[in-house]
Amino acid sequence: MSVLSYSDSVADLDAQHLRGGFFEGWAAPPSPEEHLLILRNSAHVVAARDEPGVVVGFVNALSDGVLTAYIPLLEVLPAHRRNGVGTELVRRLMDRLQGLYMVDVMCDDDVRPFYERLGFIGASGAITRNYGWRGTPSG
């Protein structure tokens, strides 16, 4: 396993750094170019990168910068899972979000214990999904 570095900047990323199997199991996963836009348009991002600079994991947050933040995505490539990468990504992101009143994450039941180990409290919620999504909305 290579040595990883963590960064809260995506300014030097391009789509080539994001080719590697993110969004596993998604019916319509974002392309690397769309993935890059997701990261660049997020209020906060932490990325784990290997020695050549390829992203092997990331977490992002959308935030108003005053009261709230929402963590929509945490992804770690399969070869790097179960090595503490996801935990470190969330820990670093939460350091950046400390002081906010609320930081929410919606997750599948099988990963809920992961977030609970990091101090999150289980809560109920509601979601909607557009499984036919394909690309960035216009307008």
Side-chain angles (χ1 to χ4, degrees), residues 103-120:
V103 178
D104 294 347
V105 62
M106 180 71 68
C107 64
D108 293 333
D109 287 338
D110 62 325
V111 293
R112 190 167 161 179
F114 168 82
Y115 288 103
E116 288 173 343
R117 283 192 303 274
L118 295 172
F120 288 79

Side-chain angles (χ1 to χ4, degrees), residues 8-21:
D8 59 6
S9 173
V10 294
D12 66 333
L13 285 184
D14 61 40
Q16 288 298 112
H17 293 110
L18 300 169
R19 299 190 188 279

Side-chain angles (χ1 to χ4, degrees), residues 59-76:
V59 64
N60 70 321
L62 309 176
S63 177
D64 58 24
V66 178
L67 189 70
T68 65
Y70 170 67
I71 301 172
L73 298 169
L74 168 63
E75 295 267 341
V76 177

Side-chain angles (χ1 to χ4, degrees), residues 38-58:
I38 290 166
L39 298 180
R40 288 188 175 160
N41 289 330
S42 297
H44 301 279
V45 175
V46 180
R49 298 168 84 171
D50 65 11
E51 290 171 6
V54 173
V55 175
V56 300
F58 71 92

Side-chain angles (χ1 to χ4, degrees), residues 85-105:
V85 176
T87 297
E88 185 64 13
L89 288 167
V90 173
R91 186 193 67 74
R92 287 173 181 255
L93 181 64
M94 292 304 292
D95 284 350
R96 304 224 24 228
L97 300 175
Q98 71 180 10
L100 293 179
Y101 170 71
M102 62 188 215
V103 178
D104 294 347
V105 62

